[in-house]
Amino acid sequence: MEEVNIKSLAKKLNLSISTVSRALSDSYEIGAETKQRVRQLAKELNYQPNPFASSLRKRKSNTIAVIIPEIANNFFTLVIKGIEDIAQAQEYHVLIYITHENSAREIAYCNHLLNGRVDGVLMSMSGEMDDIDHINSLIEHHVPVVFFDRICEQISTVKIITDDYESAFTGTEHLIAKGCRSIAYLGILKTHSISKNRLHGYQDAMKKNNIAIDKQHIVSCSGDIDQDYQVIKALLTSAHRPTGIFAAVEHAALVCYEVAADLGLKIPQDFKIISFSNLRTASLLNPPLSTITQPAYHIGQEAAKALFGELKNRNGIENTKITLRSSLIERESTA
Amino acid sequence: MEEVNIKSLAKKLNLSISTVSRALSDSYEIGAETKQRVRQLAKELNYQPNPFASSLRKRKSNTIAVIIPEIANNFFTLVIKGIEDIAQAQEYHVLIYITHENSAREIAYCNHLLNGRVDGVLMSMSGEMDDIDHINSLIEHHVPVVFFDRICEQISTVKIITDDYESAFTGTEHLIAKGCRSIAYLGILKTHSISKNRLHGYQDAMKKNNIAIDKQHIVSCSGDIDQDYQVIKALLTSAHRPTGIFAAVEHAALVCYEVAADLGLKIPQDFKIISFSNLRTASLLNPPLSTITQPAYHIGQEAAKALFGELKNRNGIENTKITLRSSLIERESTA
DNA sequence: CTGTTAGCGCTTTCAG
DNA sequence: CTGAAAGCGCTAACAG
């Protein structure tokens, strides 16, 4: 398997290296006939240009990075799918980095990506909002960053989000309308944009309806399944057991179902629940789970489009916030 | 932001480029003191070596590709997680390619990856088993390929699989034991290894129990949700409605639940069902779904480990088949 | 329209 | 122990 590169092609065609290079990149200064010859041989030998040589020279990787806190989760999976579909069309490659909700890893990845391996980054933050040097660093190095879902307000860039505050507000009111007065909030309690917005939506809905919030009803989930099981079990066995649960993350809702099953609690008789979730099986659960569903695939697409807008057209990334709407999907037992 | 590269470091330190390079790669021929100086400055300036230059020179990308048919699916998500975790530890990067079950895309990706962008490929096949030129091509170009789940028997390499035949066999017998005599098989009908093995397991279980298979009970699912909905609806409204369903893919089982809900059919009264599935919510469905659950995360890890074994140790990839065991998890309604 | 040439940033012989 | 220099494969001035 002798190496087939631009040089060997040139030799075989009795052309110079640069002519071959130009022919392959369809330069206007190459004759139609020459182009034809070059292309033909390239196809015959299945010539594949070395991406590293090209990237090194052009200072362009044709690759983007996606940095997400986790992947075993329908939301992020759908987002990736949306990103991939757009990237594919643009002939870009997609590198995946999973932080496991660990902001130290997020920082390490960002620092690493200062090296030019990617042309841009799509990111949903793990870290806290005040911890943003690594992001600024990327931007200073001309690596555009587009945020989705877990954005960072302080950074001036494109942000694709959903109406978290409003969704949480209406979701909470939905529970109130169902007669719940004692409503717990389960979420990842960080200074994330979404954590804050969802929590505020819940709090404001409670306030508007003149319901005091029991401090113990604001529960922090880590994402760790065993740990969260314990925390939620404690909540559901306490003297303060809520009659409504607002789950700001899908994971929390599932743990509630599991704990309820183990404790013999009945949903919705013992407590009602609504959750942010992209579960395909929400309607098939017992009982069906009412959800606030984010347009995950669309978020991925929009984020990717925004990034490519910058990468391809250099239109200068603006500090825009694109807000997509989540849908509150009410599901009731048909039984 | 002046460029910080090996050259600028060398100048600042009054050393030659090669010394700096060697110091950074911890070469034994560099003095301890010099190494120290170099490392310190590199850290101070947050020097990040250009990966393209390095890859070009070393002919090594420190990147692997994962080619999968789809992603919005718990099995592949968990596999990716397993792969990522191993890759991370090895300081490798992971490129994701999704074929959407389209073998033309699989071929295109493989051909593209002949260019050296990745050092190895982890793959679950979309295409048919007899269509393997693109894989052989990779191997000829010294890009090792490790298969997982949807493997290709004809190719001599490491394959990580689960006991599909046995699982399908016992899964089918499980339905028979529950009293089903008329059992349908829903799967992606290709010449894939897993399609074949699962189908054979089902067929042999039926044969062993002296049950004739109604031809119309072998149903091909495309993966397209609307299309499969129609196909399964047709099955469940036909005169030949089965009393048992063996779903070889999770997606098919979910569609069955959806169709059943829409038609007002009750599971398990009207038909029983068991499915290959990695759904976290299997036990929470109404009714709970009995599953054959593959050790997805573990599969990802093993596949990645096998690939890195080859990449790091050049131990020569062997034609090994590693079979992990799936678990048949029986779930019954507690109601 | 085509060729010559100088690098992109790094690794690695080969000399000292 | 350190330096000089070649070159990975490709692109893009600059010449003709």
Side-chain angles (χ1 to χ4, degrees), chain A residues 82-286:
Chain A
I83 293 168
E84 246 281 329
D85 286 351
I86 300 294
Q88 220 156 82
Q90 306 280 346
E91 310 216 278
Y92 262 72
H93 300 258
V94 179
L95 279 170
I96 298 279
Y97 298 96
I98 304 172
T99 67
H100 297 271
E101 297 282 5
N102 177 343
S103 54
R105 266 200 200 169
E106 180 180 299
I107 293 171
Y109 284 138
C110 287
N111 284 332
H112 178 89
L113 291 178
L114 296 175
N115 64 12
R117 187 183 287 276
V118 299
D119 297 335
V121 173
L122 294 173
M123 170 145 138
S124 198
M125 290 190 71
S126 308
E128 306 286 324
M129 281 181 79
D130 43 348
D131 184 10
I132 58 173
D133 291 351
H134 55 300
I135 319 269
N136 282 322
S137 201
L138 277 173
I139 291 170
E140 278 163 23
H141 282 75
H142 310 108
V143 180
V145 176
V146 167
F147 287 111
F148 62 89
D149 200 49
R150 302 203 196 165
I151 66 168
C152 178
E153 295 284 358
Q154 290 98 318
I155 291 178
S156 165
T157 184
V158 176
K159 294 150 192 158
I160 315 291
I161 54 169
T162 52
D163 51 343
D164 288 296
Y165 174 86
E166 294 78 6
S167 306
F169 191 96
T170 55
T172 306
E173 285 210 313
H174 181 262
L175 289 171
I176 297 172
K178 294 268 174 209
C180 304
R181 300 283 300 171
S182 162
I183 300 174
Y185 175 94
L186 311 186
I188 297 180
L189 292 186
K190 294 203 177 173
T191 57
H192 287 145
S193 51
I194 61 166
S195 307
K196 281 169 51 177
N197 292 340
R198 292 178 186 180
L199 182 57
H200 286 162
Y202 156 82
Q203 289 169 326
D204 286 0
M206 295 292 270
K207 186 176 294 172
K208 183 188 158 203
N209 289 272
N210 296 310
I211 308 180
I213 296 173
D214 183 333
K215 273 174 208 156
Q216 298 177 48
H217 280 174
I218 298 195
V219 175
S220 178
C221 293
S222 64
D224 175 80
I225 195 161
D226 296 322
Q227 203 172 318
D228 292 339
Y229 186 94
Q230 294 309 325
V231 170
I232 288 171
K233 186 173 177 183
L235 174 73
L236 290 179
T237 51
S238 80
H240 300 260
R241 173 148 62 82
T243 55
I245 289 183
F246 183 85
V249 291
E250 177 176 299
H251 162 75
L254 295 184
V255 175
C256 286
Y257 269 72
E258 285 159 5
V259 171
D262 293 349
L263 294 178
L265 293 173
K266 293 283 170 221
I267 307 172
Q269 292 83 347
D270 293 316
F271 64 90
K272 303 189 193 338
I273 182 165
I274 184 168
S275 177
F276 271 90
S277 169
N278 275 78
L279 265 189
R280 173 162 171 201
T281 52
S283 65
L284 303 176
L285 297 186
N286 186 17

Side-chain angles (χ1 to χ4, degrees), chain A residues 49-70:
Chain A
N50 182 310
F52 302 117
S54 169
S55 289
L56 176 58
R57 183 62 231 248
K58 294 202 291 190
R59 300 165 165 290
K60 186 160 183 314
S61 64
N62 272 268
T63 305
I64 59 171
V66 178
I67 304 181
I68 51 175
E70 57 168 325

Side-chain angles (χ1 to χ4, degrees), chain B residues 286-299:
Chain B
N286 187 18
L289 174 65
S290 292
T291 59
I292 295 162
T293 298
Q294 298 174 276
Y297 178 76
H298 193 203
I299 291 173

Side-chain angles (χ1 to χ4, degrees), chain B residues 81-96:
Chain B
K81 195 175 178 179
I83 293 169
E84 247 281 328
D85 287 351
I86 300 294
Q88 220 156 82
Q90 307 280 346
E91 310 218 279
Y92 262 72
H93 299 258
V94 180
L95 279 170
I96 299 279

Side-chain angles (χ1 to χ4, degrees), chain B residues 35-161:
Chain B
K35 273 186 192 169
Q36 189 46 40
R37 287 212 303 140
V38 173
R39 290 222 189 99
Q40 169 137 5
L41 186 65
K43 197 172 297 172
E44 255 171 42
L45 303 182
N46 193 22
Y47 164 72
Q48 299 289 345
N50 182 310
F52 301 117
S54 169
S55 290
L56 177 58
R57 184 60 231 250
K58 294 202 290 189
R59 300 168 165 288
K60 186 160 184 314
S61 64
N62 271 267
T63 305
I64 60 171
V66 178
I67 304 181
I68 51 174
E70 57 168 326
I71 190 169
N73 162 310
N74 235 277
F75 174 74
F76 287 114
T77 304
L78 288 170
V79 170
I80 291 174
K81 195 175 178 179
I83 293 169
E84 247 281 328
D85 287 351
I86 300 294
Q88 220 156 82
Q90 307 280 346
E91 310 218 279
Y92 262 72
H93 299 258
V94 180
L95 279 170
I96 299 279
Y97 299 95
I98 305 172
T99 67
H100 299 271
E101 298 283 3
N102 177 343
S103 53
R105 265 197 201 172
E106 180 181 300
I107 294 171
Y109 284 137
C110 287
N111 284 331
H112 178 89
L113 292 177
L114 296 175
N115 64 13
R117 188 182 287 277
V118 299
D119 296 336
V121 173
L122 294 173
M123 167 144 137
S124 197
M125 289 190 71
S126 309
E128 306 286 322
M129 282 180 78
D130 43 347
D131 184 10
I132 57 173
D133 291 351
H134 55 299
I135 319 268
N136 281 321
S137 202
L138 277 173
I139 292 169
E140 279 164 24
H141 283 76
H142 311 108
V143 179
V145 177
V146 167
F147 287 110
F148 62 89
D149 200 49
R150 300 202 197 168
I151 67 169
C152 179
E153 295 284 359
Q154 290 98 319
I155 292 179
S156 165
T157 184
V158 177
K159 295 150 192 160
I160 315 291
I161 54 171

